[in-house]
Amino acid sequence: SIPLFQTVSQAVAFVESQKRDKVWTIFITEGIYRERVIINADNLRLVGESQAETIIVFNRYAGQKVSEGSQEKWGTRRTATVEIIGDNVSIENITITNDFDYPGNEMKTKEDPTRVSGTQAVALKTDKSADRTYLKNVALWGYQDTLYLKGDRVLIEGGMIAGHIDFIFGSATALFENVTILSRARSSISVGNGPTGYITAPSTNLQRPYGLTFINCRLERENGVPTNSVALGRPWHPTTTFSDGRYADPYAVGKATFINTFMESHITTKRWASMTGRAKHGNTITFNPHTDGRFAEHKSHGPGAHIVMSNAVHDSHILTAQQADFYSRTAILRGWRAPIVNINTTH
């Protein structure tokens, strides 16, 4: 018989101990599971009883020390509430949250000794080794760096992703269909000139034809997010170690595309923003979104898109209908068709 477990991590560990040639479904009953879940199994499906009431939550952040008295910090890559390492992993009808108190920390003055730095706090991450990750009707809540896509192919259908700074980022090839993208409010203390938020920060390798592609999605906002305050994206060139030094990866020419997407009026008229990185000799350089990134949109609509569609914004790349036809599910996901099928079940 298949046992019952009290935590998601225990159920995942059980599956990892079984033969890898089987496909497993873990059914998660309604409840709040405060734990960090690492999925290092292939062919695994996590299904929640309901999205609203099945919640996995943790609160690790990048600047947090690994242990009391340690000088080592977790860093962004080790903060995810759920981290997917395996292939062919599916998550359905679940809310995943990183509830690090970003707003409370942001309200503190710089002189406050309790104010922390390194506030990146990931809700879900796909590791570099992960491929064919499928999210259906999943809600991801965070602030800075909510969804870190470092693996290969990702398909996200329905659900919601919430955050404010670079909250969908990474090098993966990901297709978002009918997803609500919610920009969250920030403290007025930290808001200066320019955008207060950025939806995407892709670091797509130049050899990859697709990066983060949004089709039939909705870009919405919380109360308190100002009009004309959130950019669609900026190019992330992550600091990388090369044979001749450690500096911003010149081959990470991020790609993000929005097709037939509704945009509320919080989206900036200047669609894409610049981002800084470290040059080979250690100084800071600025990456231009039009020369150091690949950004485009097609048939954007709603209050945040009307200026673009009237061609009043000249620095936005508008795809033609013929160009948009290249963004099919088959092309983006390289023939990957569907998620795994339920064969074995544990609770």
Side-chain angles (χ1 to χ4, degrees):
S1 63
I2 298 175
L4 300 179
F5 300 94
Q6 297 300 310
T7 70
V8 179
S9 295
Q10 288 172 349
V12 170
F14 172 81
V15 172
E16 291 175 353
S17 70
Q18 304 304 301
K19 291 183 179 180
R20 296 300 181 97
D21 58 346
K22 293 183 177 181
V23 178
W24 289 86
T25 293
I26 297 175
F27 181 74
I28 307 174
T29 56
E30 291 182 350
I32 298 175
Y33 300 85
R34 180 161 285 279
E35 56 181 307
R36 183 168 186 262
V37 179
I38 301 176
I39 302 173
N40 196 16
D42 299 336
N43 306 320
L44 177 60
R45 184 181 180 209
L46 272 62
V47 180
E49 187 173 0
S50 73
Q51 183 209 76
E53 301 298 333
T54 308
I55 303 168
I56 305 174
V57 58
F58 206 65
N59 63 352
R60 183 180 290 177
Y61 63 95
Q64 185 179 11
K65 292 182 179 180
V66 171
S67 61
E68 188 70 29
S70 172
Q71 295 304 308
E72 181 185 2
K73 298 180 180 180
W74 289 116
T76 304
R77 66 185 178 87
R78 294 187 291 179
T79 63
T81 298
V82 173
E83 181 171 351
I84 299 172
I85 298 174
D87 290 337
N88 204 28
V89 172
S90 173
I91 301 178
E92 303 172 37
N93 303 330
I94 294 175
T95 291
I96 300 171
T97 301
N98 189 315
D99 68 348
F100 164 67
D101 187 11
Y102 191 108
N105 186 68
E106 191 176 36
M107 287 294 293
K108 297 176 181 178
T109 65
K110 293 182 179 180
E111 293 74 26
D112 189 331
T114 65
R115 181 183 172 105
V116 301
S117 59
T119 52
Q120 300 87 345
V122 178
L124 185 139
K125 174 191 173 187
T126 62
D127 192 67
K128 186 177 181 179
S129 60
D131 186 23
R132 295 174 296 156
T133 300
Y134 177 58
L135 306 183
K136 182 177 182 180
N137 192 34
V138 171
L140 302 175
W141 287 91
Y143 289 95
Q144 183 175 2
D145 292 3
T146 304
L147 176 59
Y148 188 1
L149 298 175
K150 195 175 181 180
D152 194 352
R153 291 168 292 183
V154 180
L155 172 61
I156 302 178
E157 291 183 319
M160 187 270 299
I161 304 167
H164 53 39
I165 300 175
D166 304 333
F167 63 100
I168 303 174
F169 71 111
S171 58
T173 296
L175 173 59
F176 303 77
E177 292 185 337
N178 302 299
V179 181
T180 297
I181 312 297
L182 181 68
S183 290
R184 308 191 73 178
R186 296 190 61 192
S187 163
S188 59
I189 289 178
S190 300
V191 175
N193 296 324
T196 64
Y198 310 89
I199 293 175
T200 66
S203 57
T204 322
N205 186 279
L206 185 58
Q207 294 183 343
R208 286 192 172 190
Y210 302 99
L212 309 177
T213 303
F214 301 81
I215 300 179
N216 299 326
C217 293
R218 294 183 64 86
L219 308 187
E220 300 185 351
R221 60 175 167 174
E222 285 184 337
N223 291 334
V225 176
T227 295
N228 194 33
S229 67
V230 176
L232 292 174
R234 55 181 182 169
W236 180 35
H237 291 248
T239 303
T240 306
T241 300
F242 297 96
S243 59
D244 58 346
R246 182 169 172 78
Y247 49 89
D249 187 354
Y251 306 107
V253 184
K255 183 174 176 65
T257 307
F258 293 82
I259 297 175
N260 196 35
T261 293
F262 172 86
M263 302 181 182
E264 261 293 355
S265 57
H266 63 298
I267 301 302
T268 54
T269 54
K270 188 174 182 181
R271 321 299 281 172
W272 317 102
S274 60
M275 196 172 191
T276 59
R278 187 164 77 182
K280 185 180 297 187
H281 300 295
N283 55 308
T284 299
I285 54 176
T286 300
F287 292 103
N288 186 305
H290 310 296
T291 57
D292 302 305
R294 293 171 288 168
F295 297 105
E297 57 187 307
H298 176 71
K299 288 189 175 180
S300 300
H301 55 281
H306 67 93
I307 294 178
V308 173
M309 301 320 294
S310 66
N311 296 320
V313 178
H314 302 293
D315 63 358
S316 181
H317 183 193
I318 307 299
L319 297 177
T320 65
Q322 185 178 26
Q323 290 171 328
D325 285 343
F326 285 98
Y327 292 82
S328 67
R329 179 184 286 206
T330 299
I332 294 169
L333 300 177
R334 304 198 308 276
W336 171 42
R337 289 178 176 270
I340 56 181
V341 177
N342 180 15
I343 297 178
N344 300 276
T345 304
T346 185
H347 292 69

